[in-house]
Amino acid sequence: MTLYIGREASKLWKRICAEITTEINLLAENWRYILAGLICQYIHGLAARGVHYLHRPGPTLQDVGFFLLPELGRDKAYISETVFTFAFASFVLWTFHPFILKTKKIYTVLVWCRVLAFLVASQILRIITFYSTQLPGPNYHCREGSKLARLPHPHSAAEVLLINFPRGVLYGCGDLIFSSHMIFTLVFVLTYQKYGTKRFIKQFAWLIAVVQSFLIVASRKHYTVDVVVAWYTVNLVVFFIDKKLPELPDRTGGSSLFLPVSTKEKDARSKEENHKLLNGNGGDPADWRPRTQVNGKIMEDGNAVLSDNAMNGA
């Protein structure tokens, strides 16, 4: 029993090391995209912090969702954040599952390059939208009388640039249309819908997205329009950008590790294949034998294949 556990642990460790090597090679080629995506996340947070300085509390706007869904209240507002945190953490863990499990279909670095592209495009549209018109926030800390509804004039640039994370993110106001929580949730669900393998998890993920939508409105973090716009905007963004991005290699068909091929290697390989074809040699080493041609027939290993006319003495 101890020997079996040790052998399996050794296999797991080898798998993790091989996966790390592969992902490091991918990261070396794609680190610019990852870094750019992370920088854009900071810019998005900075923009949300900036619009809070422009926010002016006012009466809550008339909203269909507020009429249909009962208000959770301050003491139950955490439910929405709990569901979102669960969805966020679950997706992050899934993207790293190739390091542990044998059934690998994705590469972690390539998936995150794709996810960050979807997030950045959606967040750019979001920034343009909520800076175009500032609505009075429906959240409890954004209403008239709350100390957090208006931010005092910053005393230094650092006060703005540091964005007071995470408090500044959790208690922001003015960045309404459209919901950032729904951007992340829908991008994660759509990514798993395409690259995930478990059908029941896909169905459960869509259920989480729907429940999250209702909880956001019920907790009065956003108006209903913020959630509705997020649903069709994010889906359209993912649909069009996904067509422009190169498709991820599927790992389920082969067991060999994926190592990115550089342009020079591709060119060298193409020249080698063309050279083989011009010399009459295919990919099979058994065909790499010297050949000569006599009377329209091919000689192999020094033995000529005589034509029928020669055999008949013609």
Side-chain angles (χ1 to χ4, degrees), residues 11-43:
K11 290 180 180 179
L12 177 62
W13 176 246
K14 289 180 180 178
R15 187 183 308 128
I16 293 174
C17 291
E19 199 66 30
I20 290 175
T21 302
T22 303
E23 295 292 346
I24 288 177
N25 286 322
L26 290 172
L27 185 60
E29 286 198 350
N30 299 281
W31 66 269
R32 295 177 182 84
Y33 304 111
I34 298 291
L35 180 60
L38 294 176
I39 291 175
C40 286
Q41 297 308 301
Y42 168 74
I43 294 174

Side-chain angles (χ1 to χ4, degrees), residues 7 11 20 109 118 161 186 204 214 222 250 269 276 286:
R7 186 169 62 249
K11 290 180 180 179
I20 290 175
V109 170
F118 300 149
L161 296 177
L186 290 173
F204 181 70
F214 288 115
H222 281 276
D250 192 348
R269 187 176 298 175
K276 291 177 183 178

Side-chain angles (χ1 to χ4, degrees), residues 48 51-52 55 130-131 133-137 142 172-177:
V51 80
H52 196 168
H55 177 258
F130 66 63
Y131 266 103
T133 303
Q134 290 84 48
L135 303 178
C142 298
C173 298
D175 56 327
L176 293 175
I177 301 177

Side-chain angles (χ1 to χ4, degrees), residues 22-312:
T22 303
E23 295 292 346
I24 288 177
N25 286 322
L26 290 172
L27 185 60
E29 286 198 350
N30 299 281
W31 66 269
R32 295 177 182 84
Y33 304 111
I34 298 291
L35 180 60
L38 294 176
I39 291 175
C40 286
Q41 297 308 301
Y42 168 74
I43 294 174
H44 173 257
L46 193 63
R49 174 72 170 178
V51 80
H52 196 168
Y53 289 100
L54 303 176
H55 177 258
R56 295 295 177 266
T60 304
L61 302 180
Q62 185 173 345
D63 190 278
V64 174
F66 292 178
F67 285 114
L68 298 178
L69 296 175
E71 190 171 350
L72 288 178
R74 290 177 181 268
D75 56 334
K76 296 181 180 179
Y78 70 90
I79 298 176
S80 176
E81 287 297 327
T82 302
V83 173
F84 174 75
T85 303
F86 170 77
F88 190 100
S90 299
F91 180 80
V92 171
L93 291 175
W94 171 75
T95 60
F96 285 93
H97 84 274
F99 289 86
I100 306 296
L101 303 180
K102 293 181 180 179
T103 55
K104 311 167 188 175
K105 189 178 179 181
I106 62 169
Y107 294 97
T108 303
V109 170
L110 298 182
V111 164
W112 276 106
C113 285
R114 216 173 185 87
V115 167
L116 287 171
F118 300 149
L119 291 176
V120 169
S122 300
Q123 288 166 343
I124 290 174
L125 294 176
R126 180 175 189 258
I127 292 171
I128 295 173
T129 306
F130 66 63
Y131 266 103
S132 299
T133 303
Q134 290 84 48
L135 303 178
N139 210 333
Y140 307 109
H141 62 268
C142 298
R143 298 174 185 176
E144 191 70 57
S146 173
K147 296 180 180 180
L148 298 175
R150 297 171 182 249
L151 284 182
H153 187 77
H155 299 289
S156 64
E159 186 178 338
V160 179
L161 296 177
L162 293 178
I163 68 175
N164 192 21
F165 185 84
R167 182 178 175 83
V169 176
L170 294 176
Y171 294 97
C173 298
D175 56 327
L176 293 175
I177 301 177
F178 42 96
S179 171
S180 179
H181 283 61
M182 289 308 302
I183 289 178
F184 281 93
T185 301
L186 290 173
V187 166
F188 293 164
V189 171
L190 289 167
T191 302
Y192 188 82
Q193 176 68 32
K194 183 172 184 179
Y195 298 110
T197 56
K198 303 296 183 181
R199 183 180 178 183
F200 75 93
I201 295 181
K202 294 180 181 181
Q203 295 172 343
F204 181 70
W206 283 111
L207 177 62
I208 289 292
V210 173
V211 171
Q212 178 72 47
S213 302
F214 288 115
L215 287 175
I216 288 174
V217 177
S219 60
R220 302 302 187 256
K221 293 182 178 180
H222 281 276
Y223 293 107
T224 305
V225 66
D226 305 340
V227 175
V228 172
V229 172
W231 267 93
Y232 63 73
T233 302
V234 176
N235 277 278
L236 288 174
V237 166
V238 172
F239 175 78
F240 286 108
I241 293 184
D242 188 62
K243 285 189 172 184
K244 299 296 182 181
L245 296 177
E247 190 51 70
L248 296 185
D250 192 348
R251 308 184 64 174
T252 54
S255 58
S256 61
L257 292 175
F258 173 82
L259 294 177
V261 181
S262 65
T263 306
K264 293 182 179 179
E265 291 174 342
K266 289 181 180 178
D267 294 340
R269 187 176 298 175
S270 300
K271 290 180 180 179
E272 183 180 354
E273 291 175 354
N274 291 334
H275 182 70
K276 291 177 183 178
L277 291 174
L278 289 173
N279 291 333
N281 295 331
D284 189 359
D287 293 335
W288 300 353
R289 297 188 292 268
R291 300 181 180 186
T292 58
Q293 188 170 350
V294 177
N295 295 333
K297 299 297 182 179
I298 295 175
M299 295 175 57
E300 298 184 3
D301 299 329
N303 297 322
V305 181
L306 301 179
S307 64
D308 292 338
N309 293 332
M311 294 288 291
N312 294 329

